[in-house]
Amino acid sequence: MNNNPLKIMETVLRDGHQSLAATRMRTSDMIPILREMDNVGYHALEVWGGATFDACLRFLDEDPWERLRNIKKYVKKTPLQMLLRGQNILGYNHYADDVVREFVFRSVDNGIDIIRVFDALNDPRNLECAMKATKDAGAHAQGALVYTISPYHKTSDFVHFAQDLIDMGADSICIKDMAGLLSPYAAYDLVKTLKEKTSVPIEVHSHCTSAMASMTYIKAIEAGADIIDTAISPFSGSTSQPATEPFVYSFAGQPRDTGIDLEKLHTLADYFRIVKSDLTTTFNLNTNIPVDPKVLTFQIPGGMLSNLLHQMKEQGAENKYPELLKEMPKVRAELGYPPLVTPTSQIVGSMAVLNVTLGRYKMISKEVKDLVRGKYGRTPGPIDPAIKKMIIGNEEPINHRPADDIPPQMEKMAQDLAATGYPEATTEDILSYALFPEIALAYFGKHRCENPICPNNCK
Ligand code: CO
């Protein structure tokens, strides 16, 4: 029986606006409220990682490292948390160990206290390097179980994976339910079993996409979950997390009282309501995303359904959309039941689109070949032998840790960047360049030039 105060991880500065405002919240929107947020008594603030790094450089003309340092200036008491995609860091393919390690060290050095590490396939070998680096850097290493439903994702499979992560040094475990598929009773069973079999704190991260998440959290808390991820009300609901306030209110005076003052949350909510409406106008966003319980049947994350429909329309094949919805789960099963999260969601989704528009497996992307080759790691279930043969013939798939095949990259990146005109680049700049070369160079072009009378006034 868990009688500790329920802890709250606030996601508005990362997942909240990534889910509802296309990751467009700017550092200047955050700074005026950070001191107040620091005084709430949150377990942690999620502020970095996921899509925020890319979005800073690509859309907001911001240096993501500078954002992190800025936030740290105002948040003195509350730990800062980030989301890291294991060996993919924050990009879409595998990087060499030296890049992963340096990235983790620089993140911690610039202000991160807790790193949540996950891998799209739940292959422990893909988390190994990031977890070890996090421990070595002195930060809290949280291992995440990417939640999905398949014959290869039973409670026992997740517990087994959690134990692998704890063996690697995980200080806590997160159940990461990016698509909102975790049902209240499944959550109860999974959390209860994890609490029985392990001794680390258990955190639950879900999305309201299917409209189940609040019920799921309550059952998870009853089963002994230590921490839940919520977003302050204006950035909660639909494809984001459940709202923070109702949990604080519901547990007030109960054995697991959060100790958080609801009044303080109202102040935050008033502030972020204005931020949201400002972002909606400035970036012409649709922040009014409806819940879609269809995700429960198709297991396709909400945002992805609309992307796929858009792709089909562009190819003039929207009449095949109902076929696509049937094709997705079929492709997913044939490719070994990967959870649908970046980057596997895109890989499986595009394959299904090609299958219904051009004929099954008539055209195969490099990413699908790589997935079948084992370049992303071990798929949860076996790949259909006939499909495997069709895609890679008699080629022997790799069965070692994929990153073992990638030679060190940091020095080469530094040299490339020096050759492009940035010999004085910081390690942070080199890492930005390693992850997103084109957009990093475009940013440096504007902000790192040596011109004393720079028209962009970058000095
Ligand atoms: Co999320």
Side-chain angles (χ1 to χ4, degrees):
M1 185 77 167
N2 189 344
N3 270 327
N4 298 322
L6 174 65
K7 293 179 178 169
I8 307 274
M9 203 278 271
E10 173 64 56
T11 67
V12 63
L13 303 176
R14 203 286 294 176
D15 209 354
H17 73 104
Q18 181 173 328
S19 298
L20 294 186
T23 332
R24 295 298 198 276
M25 200 186 285
R26 299 152 294 194
T27 307
S28 57
D29 298 316
M30 303 173 182
I31 286 178
I33 198 72
L34 289 176
R35 285 217 169 93
E36 258 110 325
M37 294 185 84
D38 195 21
N39 285 328
V40 165
Y42 286 123
H43 163 71
L45 294 177
E46 191 187 35
V47 299
W48 219 56
T52 62
F53 195 96
D54 188 353
C56 271
L57 288 163
R58 195 183 297 270
F59 304 116
L60 305 177
D61 193 31
E62 282 191 33
D63 179 347
W65 299 98
E66 206 173 301
R67 166 179 294 188
L68 179 55
R69 288 190 294 270
N70 258 318
I71 295 175
K72 194 69 174 180
K73 259 188 234 160
Y74 297 92
V75 182
K76 299 283 184 201
K77 298 177 275 188
T78 317
L80 299 183
Q81 181 162 336
M82 76 171 291
L83 177 67
L84 190 79
R85 211 175 285 142
Q87 207 71 29
N88 292 348
I89 311 180
L90 303 172
Y92 306 105
N93 37 53
H94 276 60
Y95 291 90
D97 287 344
D98 66 334
V99 185
V100 175
R101 204 172 158 77
E102 196 61 54
F103 193 92
V104 166
F105 270 79
R106 300 318 302 157
S107 303
V108 174
D109 218 53
N110 281 275
I112 290 294
D113 302 285
I114 302 172
I115 304 188
R116 173 177 295 168
V117 189
F118 80 98
D119 172 64
L121 296 177
N122 285 333
D123 183 338
R125 301 169 306 174
N126 291 337
L127 292 93
E128 223 171 78
C129 177
M131 295 282 286
K132 183 168 188 315
T134 305
K135 300 292 290 179
D136 291 348
H140 176 113
Q142 180 174 74
L145 320 174
V146 171
Y147 182 77
T148 190
I149 299 167
S150 92
Y152 300 93
H153 294 89
K154 297 189 288 292
T155 293
S156 54
D157 299 310
F158 285 117
V159 170
H160 192 83
F161 179 42
Q163 260 145 1
D164 284 345
L165 296 176
I166 292 166
D167 290 343
M168 271 178 213
D171 298 298
S172 63
I173 292 291
C174 170
I175 303 166
K176 179 177 159 59
D177 175 31
M178 61 286 155
L181 295 172
L182 182 61
S183 74
Y185 295 104
Y188 186 87
D189 183 53
L190 182 52
V191 172
K192 203 170 168 35
T193 316
L194 284 169
K195 289 299 287 180
E196 280 162 10
K197 307 264 182 193
T198 73
S199 53
V200 299
I202 305 295
E203 180 157 353
V204 185
H205 175 94
S206 186
H207 288 254
C208 299
T209 323
S210 70
M212 279 197 299
S214 295
M215 294 190 287
T216 299
Y217 279 6
I218 288 288
K219 290 309 285 182
I221 294 162
E222 285 177 12
D226 297 273
I227 312 155
I228 52 166
D229 291 6
T230 60
I232 195 79
S233 50
F235 281 90
S236 72
S238 66
T239 50
S240 179
Q241 275 73 55
T244 310
E245 298 95 313
F247 284 93
V248 168
Y249 182 79
S250 304
F251 288 91
Q254 299 292 319
R256 302 205 56 195
D257 195 326
T258 61
I260 293 175
D261 176 2
L262 198 54
E263 293 297 318
K264 288 185 178 167
L265 296 181
H266 294 332
T267 310
L268 301 189
D270 290 343
Y271 178 83
F272 280 111
R273 200 169 297 116
I274 297 166
V275 170
K276 187 184 179 187
S277 96
D278 182 35
L279 294 179
T280 309
T281 338
T282 310
F283 296 103
N284 193 21
L285 302 172
N286 171 22
T287 51
N288 200 1
I289 305 160
V291 293
D292 188 3
K294 278 201 199 86
V295 70
L296 299 174
T297 302
F298 303 117
Q299 298 198 7
I300 303 171
M304 196 175 164
L305 274 177
S306 48
N307 278 344
L308 288 173
L309 181 59
H310 184 75
Q311 271 187 50
M312 300 294 280
K313 273 185 185 159
E314 274 190 332
Q315 302 186 20
E318 54 193 291
N319 58 325
K320 291 192 169 161
Y321 186 63
E323 262 177 72
L324 177 72
L325 292 179
K326 288 194 197 116
E327 183 66 12
M328 274 289 295
K330 221 165 139 184
V331 170
R332 179 169 171 255
E334 286 163 348
L335 296 179
Y337 290 102
L340 298 179
V341 64
T342 306
T344 44
S345 48
Q346 285 83 343
I347 298 172
V348 173
S350 329
M351 189 70 250
V353 170
L354 290 174
N355 280 358
V356 298
T357 50
L358 303 175
R360 302 204 83 226
Y361 298 101
K362 287 278 182 286
M363 201 172 121
I364 294 150
S365 68
K366 176 181 177 292
E367 287 76 18
V368 169
K369 283 182 192 152
D370 284 348
L371 180 72
V372 176
R373 282 186 183 120
K375 278 200 169 181
Y376 289 92
R378 199 182 295 119
T379 54
I383 291 171
D384 184 300
I387 301 292
K388 185 173 183 175
K389 180 124 193 163
M390 195 187 325
I391 295 176
I392 60 164
N394 290 325
E395 193 183 314
E396 199 56 50
I398 65 160
N399 50 29
H400 50 266
R401 191 181 74 108
D404 286 339
D405 292 338
I406 312 172
Q409 294 170 317
M410 278 304 284
E411 212 178 299
K412 168 95 174 60
M413 294 292 171
Q415 282 165 1
D416 282 2
L417 203 48
T420 326
Y422 303 100
E424 316 261 282
T426 61
T427 308
E428 284 81 352
D429 283 346
I430 298 167
L431 290 163
S432 299
Y433 173 74
L435 261 57
F436 300 103
E438 284 116 51
I439 56 165
L441 282 180
Y443 181 87
F444 299 156
K446 274 177 93 176
H447 299 273
R448 303 276 189 276
C449 78
E450 300 299 323
N451 183 356
I453 48 161
C454 169
N456 292 313
N457 204 15
C458 68
K459 284 278 160 178

